[in-house]
Amino acid sequence: MSTSIKTLVKDGVWNNNVVFAQMIGLCPAAAVTTSGTNGLGMGLATTAVLVIANVLVALLRNIISPQVRIPVFVVLIASLVTVVDMLLNAWLHELYKVLGLFIALIVVNCAILGRVEAFASKNGVWPAFVDGLAMGFGFTLALTLIGLIREFLGSGTLFAQASQLLGENFAFLEIHVHENGGALLMILPPGAFAVLGFLLAGKRLLDTRRHSD
Amino acid sequence: MNADGYHAERIFASPHAHGGAEIRRTMLQVLLALAPATLFGFWLYGWPAFFLWLLTLFFAQTFEFISLRLTGNTGQTGSPGDGSALLTGWLLAMTLPPWSPWWVGALGAFIAIVIGKQVFGGLGQNVFNPAMAARVALLVSFPLQLTAWVAPLPFSGLAAPGFLDSLRITLGQIPVPDAMTSASLLGHVKTELSRGVGLAQVLAADAPRLSWLGVRSGSLGESSSLLLLMGGTFLLATRVIRWQAPLGVLAGALIPAAIAHGIAPETYLDAASHLLSGALMLGAFFIATDYVTSPATGAGRLIFGLGVGLLTWIIRTLGGYPEGVAFAILFMNALTPIIDRYVRPRILGRTRSGQPLRRPATPPGAGKGA
């Protein structure tokens, strides 16, 4: 399977975006995206796990026998998630408290097992690395976008508490758009589904327009 | 709205005659039935109520028009002139606090028409009643604005705001004066009960709130039960709606309320108060009877109505919100497909279980002659 880096990146970010095209990993996409910062943090954590898991599986793909590949993948991913979980707890404790259980649940994120099974187990280390990065970037982009929209409509801020995630240098990202608060519903679960739905519709509209040109 | 499926359980074999019902005409009849209570509400709450009503209708129709343009307007998702968006907007306006700022009506119309209806595929495809979905979304999002009721002006001794001042209230430039705000009966009872005050004491000062005429604070749709009942009777008489759902709603709330009040009158509101306050009348006759989101058979509609009534009483009595009609209706909307799955009309020539009817061994009358 020979795929150029350009195609891989294009697939990961747009054409085959984990959330907006494959529609997997929707549990974190809906549950933790109450703010842009949460979405970004979750996306980055998932990306880290995805890249390392992809590389490891690509390395080991010739010694893993096909019959037991799924348990092996799961053990691999679970170990990586445990490491990320502990690292976040140690260094980004505030974010860890917000993301909470969802960090541990990266284990069962279909996006990771899906990429490992569908791509890394059939490709070399370099393409697997690029694929993990591109898919992770697309996932992060989607989560941050959903988070930002919900945060804007629901609490009237953008990237609140970003400095806790990215360090004091990024405090300029935190914007208070309006003071009146917002529609509480957008922070609650229905808001996630509504935003996700409208974004999906928007992407489809763009794609149809592009193809028909 | 499935005008043909409406009498589905009565249709046995051809030929059929068309009853003349069409969406636009049915909608107009419902709008006509709503008019007396709405006009009464305008009189009670003054110009701001009228402006909010007008804006909500305008935005509902506008969003309907835009949605239909975007979806290509193939005619399958309704047409802009069929009046269904006007009805949705009107029902929504009747459940809002009459002095809400303009954006409450505009946002509510957006949620009702775009998210509640057109996203599901337009007229006839929506799972939930659009007006109720919008009301609940607004209530959850903006609890403060959605519970700011005003006292009925003609009887409170307060001067009604003039035309221009009313316009500024609706545009949100001046806040509602504190002297004019007033809790609705259900809200008042909930607050007082949670403070440990007995019901007899709470209601002693509130006798006028219970009048059938409906001179009390609340939304347009909860003030005059009598006029809503009149509108409902008109719809029943013109066979736009059937009796099962309204009866179910009223009985479903009335029976548990009467029993609970009989056992512990100090903690449970009496049946008449439940019946006459909140959106129960509006819900029973105008919302639980929505063709799209309620079951297709008579028995199904009765179950649907009883569920709405019972849930309303449960939410009002035990829940955190003082009023529960909108929640109850949305909940039963979700159950409608299941009700329709199990309550089906008998097929002609078959038993209830779908087996062919057995012919009698000897034809009736044959034995007599022998």
Side-chain angles (χ1 to χ4, degrees):
Chain A
M1 204 184 274
S2 66
T3 15
S4 73
I5 291 177
K6 204 181 154 194
T7 340
L8 282 178
V9 173
K10 225 172 159 180
D11 270 5
V13 176
W14 186 265
N15 290 339
N16 207 7
N17 185 294
V18 176
V19 175
F20 294 137
Q22 300 182 50
M23 307 233 354
I24 53 179
L26 291 186
C27 174
V32 299
T33 53
T34 50
S35 75
T37 310
N38 286 357
L40 185 64
M42 186 67 192
L44 291 178
T46 311
T47 306
V49 175
L50 184 55
V51 170
I52 305 172
N54 257 8
V55 169
L56 283 178
V57 167
L59 272 175
L60 300 172
R61 70 182 195 278
N62 293 327
I63 23 176
I64 301 172
S65 66
Q67 288 83 0
V68 294
R69 66 185 197 287
I70 300 288
V72 172
F73 295 161
V74 170
V75 169
L76 249 173
I77 296 168
S79 328
L80 289 170
V81 169
T82 312
V83 171
V84 169
D85 187 71
M86 287 172 169
L87 289 179
L88 279 181
N89 197 356
W91 286 322
L92 295 170
H93 191 66
E94 288 302 313
L95 182 74
Y96 181 80
K97 274 197 290 190
V98 176
L99 297 182
L101 183 65
F102 289 98
I103 296 289
L105 284 177
I106 296 178
V107 178
V108 286
N109 189 334
C110 326
I112 297 177
L113 197 62
R115 283 336 278 172
V116 163
E117 161 79 5
F119 194 86
S121 62
K122 294 166 192 155
N123 285 283
V125 176
W126 176 242
F129 174 76
V130 175
D131 178 74
L133 216 52
M135 285 290 164
F137 183 66
F139 188 64
T140 311
L141 209 64
L143 258 63
T144 313
L145 189 63
I146 299 172
L148 281 179
I149 295 174
R150 287 179 69 189
E151 187 183 357
F152 175 69
L153 296 174
S155 41
T157 57
L158 286 175
F159 281 120
Q161 298 170 326
S163 52
Q164 285 177 357
L165 171 69
L166 303 165
E168 286 302 323
N169 292 337
F170 286 88
F172 71 90
L173 280 176
E174 301 177 18
I175 301 169
H176 273 270
V177 184
H178 51 97
E179 293 300 322
N180 301 339
L184 188 63
L185 193 74
M186 297 312 288
I187 301 287
L188 298 172
F193 288 107
V195 170
L196 190 60
F198 277 108
L199 285 176
L200 274 171
K203 181 179 183 290
R204 292 212 167 179
L205 196 67
L206 283 179
D207 282 345
T208 2
R209 289 248 170 100
R210 216 170 43 164
H211 286 303
S212 61
D213 284 347
Chain B
M1 204 150 288
N2 186 359
D4 294 329
Y6 178 53
H7 288 295
E9 73 264 44
R10 291 277 184 88
I11 294 171
F12 292 130
S14 58
H16 305 300
H18 195 290
E22 52 174 359
I23 296 172
R24 182 201 288 263
R25 202 178 114 168
T26 307
M27 295 291 166
L28 280 178
Q29 279 171 317
V30 181
L31 294 183
L32 195 64
L34 279 170
T38 314
L39 289 173
F40 180 72
F42 293 159
W43 176 68
L44 273 187
Y45 307 117
W47 283 106
F50 173 72
F51 291 140
L52 182 75
W53 171 84
L54 198 66
L55 276 171
T56 312
L57 253 69
F58 168 76
F59 278 110
Q61 189 61 39
T62 309
F63 285 127
E64 170 96 345
F65 188 70
I66 295 171
S67 303
L68 289 175
R69 279 293 288 275
L70 282 178
T71 50
N73 201 356
T74 51
Q76 289 174 338
T77 53
S79 70
D82 64 16
S84 63
L86 283 183
L87 178 58
T88 301
W90 193 320
L91 285 173
L92 175 65
M94 291 197 81
T95 65
L96 296 175
W99 287 26
S100 307
W102 66 275
W103 53 265
V104 168
L107 192 63
F110 174 81
I111 298 171
I113 297 296
V114 179
I115 298 182
K117 191 171 104 182
Q118 292 294 345
V119 157
F120 285 92
L123 186 62
Q125 305 295 320
N126 47 307
V127 184
F128 297 101
N129 184 293
M132 289 299 101
R135 184 191 150 68
V136 164
L138 286 172
L139 179 65
V140 172
S141 298
F142 310 102
L144 200 63
Q145 284 86 350
L146 264 276
T147 46
W149 310 105
V150 289
L153 297 171
F155 295 92
S156 61
L158 297 163
F163 187 83
L164 284 176
D165 274 350
S166 304
L167 207 55
R168 291 173 66 197
I169 288 174
T170 306
L171 290 175
Q173 287 179 341
I174 44 177
V176 179
D178 278 346
M180 293 186 179
T181 58
S182 160
S184 66
L185 173 75
L186 288 170
H188 183 59
V189 165
K190 184 125 247 165
T191 321
E192 294 297 307
L193 278 179
S194 64
R195 290 200 310 159
V197 182
L199 260 184
Q201 212 179 327
V202 177
L203 294 180
D206 283 302
R209 297 195 199 218
L210 290 173
S211 69
W212 272 86
L213 284 174
V215 182
R216 56 169 171 259
S217 60
S219 61
L220 293 180
E222 69 177 293
S223 49
S224 175
S225 307
L226 198 64
L227 290 176
L228 285 171
L229 194 63
M230 235 175 67
T233 318
F234 165 73
L235 289 185
L236 280 171
T238 51
R239 297 179 66 83
V240 171
I241 60 172
R242 306 290 286 277
W243 56 272
Q244 291 98 338
L247 185 79
V249 174
L250 299 182
L254 201 72
I255 295 168
I259 295 173
H261 183 70
I263 295 170
E266 268 295 284
T267 41
Y268 296 106
L269 210 54
D270 59 294
S273 305
H274 270 293
L275 211 59
L276 296 183
S277 52
L280 200 73
M281 282 288 173
L282 184 76
F285 287 100
F286 293 94
I287 296 166
T289 51
D290 177 9
Y291 298 164
V292 180
T293 54
S294 66
T297 59
R301 282 195 287 267
L302 195 61
I303 297 171
F304 177 88
L306 284 170
V308 170
L310 182 66
L311 281 168
T312 301
W313 180 79
I314 291 175
I315 295 171
R316 281 178 179 180
T317 315
L318 309 170
Y321 284 100
E323 168 60 329
V325 171
F327 293 106
I329 286 180
L330 289 186
F331 190 88
M332 291 310 288
N333 283 164
L335 289 185
T336 295
I338 301 181
I339 298 175
D340 269 340
R341 172 84 175 70
Y342 288 104
V343 185
R344 286 183 177 181
R346 188 173 65 88
I347 302 167
L348 182 69
R350 305 258 170 168
T351 63
R352 286 249 160 230
S353 55
Q355 299 302 312
L357 286 178
R358 265 185 304 157
R359 261 196 307 176
T362 46
K368 271 184 201 158

